[in-house]
Amino acid sequence: MPDLLSNQEPSAQLVCGLVADFLSKKQWMLATAESCTGGLIAAACTDLAGSSLWFERGFVSYSNAAKTELLGVPAKLIAQHGAVSEPVARAMATGALAHSHAQVAVAVTGVAGPGGGSVDKPVGTVWFGWATPSGLFSESQHFAGDRAAVRAATVQHALTRLLALLT
């Protein structure tokens, strides 16, 4: 396995392949719940041949209503903390598991830009949630760059951290 802590981050494709290998060996399935990435994590996963063996489904829950309707995120939680928050990312990951046949889920919600940021949640702020058989994990990151850069960095981090949590 490549050193994931080195200065050179492995490509999302390489990391996704390692996630695929791990999930396949465990016979686990992955579900994604995406807001700011609009399905890019699911696309990275399904770019791999044979992904139907380990990728179960993806939810693109871009609007607050979609987060509630598709994933069961309480509207009150969104109103209280905002869509870009730790409680919402965690609820999205939990909801992805509850509304799928997967054993593992990754969720992302953030401000990709160029607009939509605030003092508390500037452009580039992303909250992540990961649900695994070992537990529910979350963290935030701030990525620099334009919309495409923030979204690409989000995909990369979501998969890299998922691999670290699984192995």
Side-chain angles (χ1 to χ4, degrees):
M1 176 184 297
D3 179 7
L4 297 179
L5 300 177
S6 70
N7 289 339
Q8 268 195 316
E9 215 171 76
S11 70
Q13 183 180 18
L14 174 63
V15 175
C16 197
L18 294 170
V19 168
D21 289 345
F22 182 89
L23 293 173
S24 295
K25 286 177 185 163
K26 291 283 194 175
Q27 296 184 336
W28 289 348
M29 301 294 280
L30 172 66
T32 60
E34 303 180 64
S35 185
C36 62
T37 50
L40 292 174
I41 299 169
C45 292
T46 58
D47 276 349
L48 296 177
S51 57
S52 62
L53 297 174
W54 57 272
F55 185 81
E56 209 274 327
R57 71 182 68 183
F59 299 92
V60 176
S61 54
Y62 205 74
S63 70
N64 291 345
K67 288 173 184 63
T68 299
E69 294 166 11
L70 297 175
L71 300 169
V73 177
K76 186 176 181 174
L77 192 71
I78 297 170
Q80 184 177 2
H81 298 281
V84 180
S85 64
E86 181 175 24
V88 170
R90 292 173 70 91
M92 289 171 66
T94 302
L97 286 187
H99 293 90
S100 72
H101 303 286
Q103 294 76 35
V104 176
V106 59
V108 296
T109 181
V111 185
S118 67
V119 172
D120 292 336
K121 297 173 188 175
V123 170
T125 302
V126 181
W127 273 99
F128 295 83
W130 297 272
T132 74
S134 298
L136 182 60
F137 307 90
S138 55
E139 67 182 42
S140 69
Q141 293 287 316
H142 185 270
F143 301 114
D146 64 9
R147 183 177 182 80
V150 169
R151 288 164 46 115
T154 299
V155 172
Q156 178 76 32
H157 185 76
L159 293 170
T160 300
R161 183 78 169 111
L162 175 61
L163 181 62
L165 290 168
L166 292 174
T167 55

